[in-house]
């Protein structure tokens, strides 16, 4: 369920903090690969255009610098009139936070995205700001702290397409139902995902150590009782809910050995 508030009787959609962090990683990677920023960002059915997304990024970074991991409302901003600026380079944490605050003030005063932002490395172009602040937010989510410095390379251009952030967890199937068996059995777990071709499987047996395998794993169970717990995780961090299955194996040869031993003891 999205976080919403009401302004003049109209409900405004928001990205939660987790949605902001997840989308920032995708925007960062998309820009790296395409040398352009996406024209929009969609996650869980909610869409922010690039001019609104920059405002959301800078709001989130400023909040984080104040110890507040809050979501961000999707504003209604105008696109920049004429993106420009050739400034590029590295800003310290205090410098890029000041830039973020100045961008927020510009948005509030003008209802429009800035063409550029003044900084210690010159006028940083609009698209470069989207890239730089998405990278800063992604780094925070990855490392647990805002970077002590952040580079803002020159990025020019807005893609004709937007991106949809993947929030679908993978799913793990198994080839053997739980229950009682009288022979040794091999259980194969196979994970599949809508985007990641090689999701990882994490599993435990009888509450022991957690093991991992890529995409598929085969486990052989002999005589005894076994509780198998497993889940899958994709490269985006989407994680399947833990699944549990129980097996009881009374292997015929083991039973015969026990009976023969009992006979000799008698």
């Amino acid at each position: 369920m999205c976080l919403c508030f009401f302004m003049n009787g109209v409900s405004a959609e928001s990205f939660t903090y987790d949605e902001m962090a997840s989308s920032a990683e995708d925007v960062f990677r998309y820009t790296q690969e395409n040398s352009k920023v996406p024209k929009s960002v969609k996650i869980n059915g909610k869409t922010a255009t690039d001019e609104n997304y920059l405002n959301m990024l800078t709001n989130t970074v400023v909040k984080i610098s104040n110890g507040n991991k809050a979501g961000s409302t999707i504003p209604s901003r105008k696109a920049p009139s004429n993106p420009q600026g050739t400034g590029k380079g590295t800003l310290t944490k205090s410098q890029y936070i000041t830039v973020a605050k100045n961008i927020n003030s510009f948005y509030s005063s003008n209802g429009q995205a800035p063409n550029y932002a003044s900084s210690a490395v010159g006028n940083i172009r609009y698209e470069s700001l989207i890239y730089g602040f998405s990278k800063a937010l992604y780094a925070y989510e990855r490392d647990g702290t805002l970077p002590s410095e952040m580079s803002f390379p020159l990025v020019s251009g807005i893609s004709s397409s937007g991106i949809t952030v993947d929030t679908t967890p993978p799913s793990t199937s198994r080839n053997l139902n739980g229950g009682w068996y009288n022979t040794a059995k091999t259980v194969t777990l196979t994970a599949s995902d809508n985007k990641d071709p090689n999701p990882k499987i994490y599993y435990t047996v009888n509450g022991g150590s957690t093991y991992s395998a890529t995409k598929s794993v085969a486990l052989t169970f002999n005589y005894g009782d076994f509780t198998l717990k497993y889940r899958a995780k994709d490269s985006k961090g989407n994680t399947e809910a833990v699944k549990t299955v129980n097996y009881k194996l009374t292997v015929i040869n083991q039973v015969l050995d026990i009976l023969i031993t009992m006979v000799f003891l008698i």
Side-chain angles (χ1 to χ4, degrees), residues 197-264:
N198 293 300
K200 281 195 171 182
I201 298 172
Y202 297 84
Y203 63 94
T204 65
V205 178
N206 290 343
S209 300
T210 299
Y211 297 95
S212 65
T214 299
K215 195 169 183 177
S216 182
V217 62
L219 306 171
T220 298
F221 296 125
N222 292 299
Y223 174 74
D225 295 340
F226 302 93
T227 297
L228 172 63
K229 294 186 176 183
Y230 58 95
R231 61 183 174 87
K233 184 177 182 180
D234 66 18
S235 58
K236 191 68 172 61
N238 299 310
T239 305
E240 178 183 27
V242 175
K243 295 178 178 177
T244 302
V245 62
N246 297 298
Y247 297 103
K248 183 178 183 66
L249 290 95
T250 306
V251 182
I252 294 299
N253 290 338
Q254 294 283 354
V255 174
L256 290 175
D257 288 342
I258 293 171
L259 291 173
I260 292 171
T261 300
M262 291 174 65
V263 169
F264 277 107

Side-chain angles (χ1 to χ4, degrees), residues 107-253:
Y107 269 114
S108 297
S109 299
N110 299 276
Q112 182 176 16
N115 293 320
Y116 61 86
S118 300
S119 76
V121 295
N123 293 336
I124 303 176
R125 188 181 174 98
Y126 166 72
E127 298 97 317
S128 301
L129 295 170
I130 294 175
Y131 175 75
F133 284 110
S134 66
K135 182 168 60 171
L137 180 52
Y138 166 51
Y140 174 81
E141 177 65 9
R142 181 192 61 207
D143 303 328
T145 184
L146 284 172
S148 59
E149 58 183 28
M150 180 56 55
S151 62
F152 287 79
L154 181 59
V155 178
S156 177
I158 301 171
S159 175
S160 60
S161 61
I163 61 172
T164 298
V165 181
D166 176 25
T167 59
T168 303
S171 178
T172 307
S173 62
R174 68 173 187 273
N175 69 329
L176 184 69
N177 291 329
W180 177 85
Y181 295 93
N182 60 8
T183 60
K185 290 292 182 181
T186 297
V187 183
T188 300
L189 304 177
T190 304
S192 59
D193 186 67
N194 62 325
K195 289 190 176 181
D196 184 0
N198 293 300
K200 281 195 171 182
I201 298 172
Y202 297 84
Y203 63 94
T204 65
V205 178
N206 290 343
S209 300
T210 299
Y211 297 95
S212 65
T214 299
K215 195 169 183 177
S216 182
V217 62
L219 306 171
T220 298
F221 296 125
N222 292 299
Y223 174 74
D225 295 340
F226 302 93
T227 297
L228 172 63
K229 294 186 176 183
Y230 58 95
R231 61 183 174 87
K233 184 177 182 180
D234 66 18
S235 58
K236 191 68 172 61
N238 299 310
T239 305
E240 178 183 27
V242 175
K243 295 178 178 177
T244 302
V245 62
N246 297 298
Y247 297 103
K248 183 178 183 66
L249 290 95
T250 306
V251 182
I252 294 299
N253 290 338

